[in-house]
Coordinates of all heavy atoms in Angstrom, one line a residue:
P7 N -15.8 14.9 -8.8 CA -14.7 13.9 -8.7 C -15.2 12.5 -8.5 O -16.3 12.3 -7.9 CB -13.9 14.4 -7.4 CG -14.3 15.9 -7.3 CD -15.7 16.0 -7.9
S8 N -14.4 11.5 -8.9 CA -14.9 10.1 -8.8 C -15.2 9.7 -7.4 O -14.4 10.0 -6.5 CB -13.8 9.2 -9.4 OG -14.0 7.9 -9.1
P9 N -16.3 9.0 -7.2 CA -16.6 8.5 -5.9 C -16.1 7.0 -5.7 O -16.4 6.4 -4.6 CB -18.1 8.5 -5.8 CG -18.5 8.2 -7.3 CD -17.4 8.8 -8.1
A10 N -15.4 6.5 -6.6 CA -15.0 5.0 -6.6 C -14.2 4.7 -5.3 O -13.4 5.5 -4.8 CB -14.2 4.7 -7.8
P11 N -14.4 3.5 -4.8 CA -13.6 3.1 -3.6 C -12.2 3.0 -3.8 O -11.7 2.6 -4.9 CB -14.3 1.8 -3.2 CG -14.8 1.3 -4.4 CD -15.3 2.4 -5.2
A12 N -11.4 3.2 -2.8 CA -9.9 2.9 -2.8 C -9.8 1.4 -2.7 O -10.5 0.8 -2.0 CB -9.2 3.7 -1.7
L13 N -8.8 0.9 -3.3 CA -8.6 -0.6 -3.4 C -7.2 -0.9 -2.7 O -6.3 -0.1 -2.7 CB -8.6 -1.1 -4.8 CG -9.8 -0.7 -5.6 CD1 -9.7 -1.1 -7.1 CD2 -11.1 -1.4 -5.0
V14 N -7.1 -2.1 -2.2 CA -5.9 -2.6 -1.6 C -5.0 -3.3 -2.7 O -5.4 -4.1 -3.5 CB -6.2 -3.7 -0.5 CG1 -4.9 -4.3 0.1 CG2 -7.0 -3.0 0.6
Q15 N -3.7 -2.9 -2.7 CA -2.7 -3.5 -3.5 C -2.0 -4.5 -2.6 O -1.3 -4.1 -1.6 CB -1.7 -2.5 -4.1 CG -0.5 -3.1 -4.9 CD -0.9 -3.7 -6.2 OE1 -2.1 -4.0 -6.5 NE2 0.1 -3.8 -7.1
T16 N -2.1 -5.8 -2.8 CA -1.6 -6.8 -1.9 C -0.1 -6.7 -1.8 O 0.6 -6.3 -2.8 CB -2.0 -8.2 -2.3 OG1 -1.3 -8.5 -3.6 CG2 -3.5 -8.3 -2.5
D17 N 0.5 -7.1 -0.6 CA 1.9 -7.2 -0.5 C 2.5 -8.2 -1.4 O 3.7 -8.0 -1.8 CB 2.3 -7.6 1.0 CG 1.9 -6.5 2.0 OD1 1.4 -5.4 1.6 OD2 2.0 -6.8 3.2
T18 N 1.7 -9.1 -1.9 CA 2.2 -10.1 -2.8 C 2.6 -9.5 -4.1 O 3.6 -9.9 -4.7 CB 1.1 -11.2 -3.1 OG1 0.7 -11.8 -1.9 CG2 1.6 -12.3 -4.1
N19 N 1.9 -8.5 -4.6 CA 2.2 -7.8 -5.8 C 3.2 -6.6 -5.5 O 4.0 -6.2 -6.4 CB 1.0 -7.2 -6.5 CG 0.2 -8.3 -7.2 OD1 0.8 -9.2 -7.8 ND2 -1.1 -8.3 -7.2
A20 N 3.1 -6.0 -4.3 CA 3.9 -4.8 -4.0 C 5.3 -5.2 -3.6 O 6.2 -4.4 -3.9 CB 3.2 -4.0 -2.9
G21 N 5.5 -6.3 -3.0 CA 6.9 -6.7 -2.7 C 7.3 -6.2 -1.3 O 8.2 -6.8 -0.7
L22 N 6.8 -5.1 -0.9 CA 7.1 -4.5 0.4 C 5.7 -4.1 1.1 O 4.8 -3.6 0.3 CB 8.0 -3.3 0.3 CG 9.5 -3.5 0.0 CD1 10.1 -2.2 -0.3 CD2 10.2 -4.3 1.1
S23 N 5.6 -4.2 2.4 CA 4.4 -3.7 3.0 C 4.4 -2.2 3.2 O 5.5 -1.6 3.2 CB 4.3 -4.4 4.4 OG 5.3 -3.9 5.3
S24 N 3.2 -1.7 3.4 CA 3.2 -0.2 3.7 C 3.9 0.1 4.9 O 4.5 1.2 5.0 CB 1.7 0.2 3.8 OG 1.6 1.5 4.2
R25 N 3.8 -0.8 5.9 CA 4.6 -0.5 7.2 C 6.1 -0.3 6.9 O 6.7 0.6 7.5 CB 4.3 -1.6 8.2 CG 5.0 -1.5 9.5 CD 4.8 -2.7 10.4 NE 5.3 -3.9 9.7 CZ 6.5 -4.3 9.6 NH1 7.5 -3.6 10.1 NH2 6.8 -5.4 9.0
E26 N 6.6 -1.2 6.1 CA 8.1 -1.1 5.8 C 8.4 0.2 5.0 O 9.4 0.9 5.3 CB 8.5 -2.3 4.9 CG 8.5 -3.6 5.7 CD 8.7 -4.8 4.8 OE1 7.9 -5.0 3.8 OE2 9.7 -5.5 5.0
K27 N 7.5 0.6 4.1 CA 7.7 1.8 3.3 C 7.6 3.0 4.2 O 8.4 3.9 4.1 CB 6.7 1.9 2.2 CG 6.9 0.8 1.1 CD 5.8 0.8 0.1 CE 5.9 -0.3 -1.0 NZ 4.9 -0.2 -2.0
R28 N 6.6 3.0 5.1 CA 6.4 4.2 6.0 C 7.6 4.3 7.0 O 8.0 5.4 7.3 CB 5.1 4.1 6.7 CG 3.9 4.4 5.8 CD 2.6 4.4 6.6 NE 2.1 3.1 6.8 CZ 2.2 2.5 8.0 NH1 2.7 3.1 9.1 NH2 1.7 1.2 8.2
A29 N 8.1 3.2 7.4 CA 9.2 3.2 8.4 C 10.4 3.8 7.7 O 11.2 4.5 8.3 CB 9.5 1.8 8.9
A30 N 10.6 3.5 6.4 CA 11.8 4.0 5.7 C 11.6 5.5 5.5 O 12.6 6.3 5.7 CB 11.9 3.4 4.3
V31 N 10.4 6.0 5.3 CA 10.2 7.5 5.2 C 10.4 8.1 6.5 O 11.0 9.2 6.6 CB 8.8 7.8 4.7 CG1 8.5 9.3 4.7 CG2 8.6 7.3 3.2
G32 N 10.0 7.4 7.6 CA 10.2 8.0 9.0 C 11.7 8.1 9.3 O 12.2 9.1 9.8

């Protein structure tokens, strides 16, 4: 399996933060 690093997708491109998305799932 690929060993490549995980990368950050900025909120600028995503439009919503991970915190907002996780809160909605919660």
Side-chain angles (χ1 to χ4, degrees):
S8 163
L13 306 171
V14 174
Q15 174 76 339
T16 66
D17 293 356
T18 304
N19 283 323
L22 287 171
S23 69
S24 172
R25 179 184 56 80
E26 292 171 298
K27 295 175 180 180
R28 286 184 283 104
V31 173

